[in-house]
Amino acid sequence: TKYVSKDKLVMALPAYANDYTMNVHGSGKQVYSAVPDSVKGTLQPPTWLWYEKLNIYLYDDLKGNTLLFYASDQRSTKALLEIADELKIDNIGFWHFGSVDPKTWSVVREWLKK
């Protein structure tokens, strides 16, 4: 804010996830979902990464591969909006507007009502 006024700042929020195969030749991909799909068995509750403000899932896919899924969702968006409030940033935007799920939009609408 030394060089740019706060009314010109926009906090960019993610609306995607990253899914990584956990093996020697592992690879990752960006997906537009708040939870993994193609899960073998029951998806266990995520672990909250407090510093990153993300949920992380460790799961097995239908092919038996173990994957690590970092998810932006309504909880992570709410946490990031709290940071925007602390920094007094009133303007937000999403990296990929079309991938914001309805639960996340409800968190944003509540934030906008303040």
Side-chain angles (χ1 to χ4, degrees):
T1 57
K2 182 176 178 181
Y3 302 102
V4 179
S5 65
K6 287 191 187 237
D7 63 320
K8 292 184 179 180
L9 293 177
V10 176
M11 184 169 183
L13 304 173
Y16 56 87
N18 289 299
D19 206 8
Y20 299 99
T21 305
M22 302 298 294
N23 62 32
V24 175
H25 304 291
S27 62
K29 64 180 178 177
Q30 195 171 78
V31 294
Y32 300 105
S33 174
V35 294
D37 59 2
S38 303
V39 176
K40 181 179 179 181
T42 303
L43 182 63
Q44 297 301 307
T47 299
W48 178 249
L49 300 178
W50 66 269
Y51 185 78
E52 293 85 355
K53 309 293 188 234
L54 290 170
N55 280 312
I56 186 170
Y57 295 86
L58 183 62
Y59 73 100
D60 292 333
D61 69 8
L62 298 175
K63 296 178 184 176
N65 299 308
T66 300
L67 290 96
L68 195 60
F69 187 91
Y70 292 86
S72 295
D73 59 9
Q74 67 273 12
R75 183 178 181 191
S76 60
T77 299
K78 184 176 181 182
L80 293 172
L81 291 172
E82 289 169 0
I83 293 171
D85 287 340
E86 289 173 21
L87 297 172
K88 297 181 177 30
I89 296 175
D90 296 327
N91 302 309
I92 62 162
F94 285 96
W95 284 107
H96 192 281
F97 183 79
S99 65
V100 182
D101 80 15
K103 291 179 182 177
T104 299
W105 279 125
S106 66
V107 169
V108 172
R109 281 191 295 277
E110 286 300 313
W111 181 77
L112 289 170
K113 289 179 184 178
K114 293 184 193 180

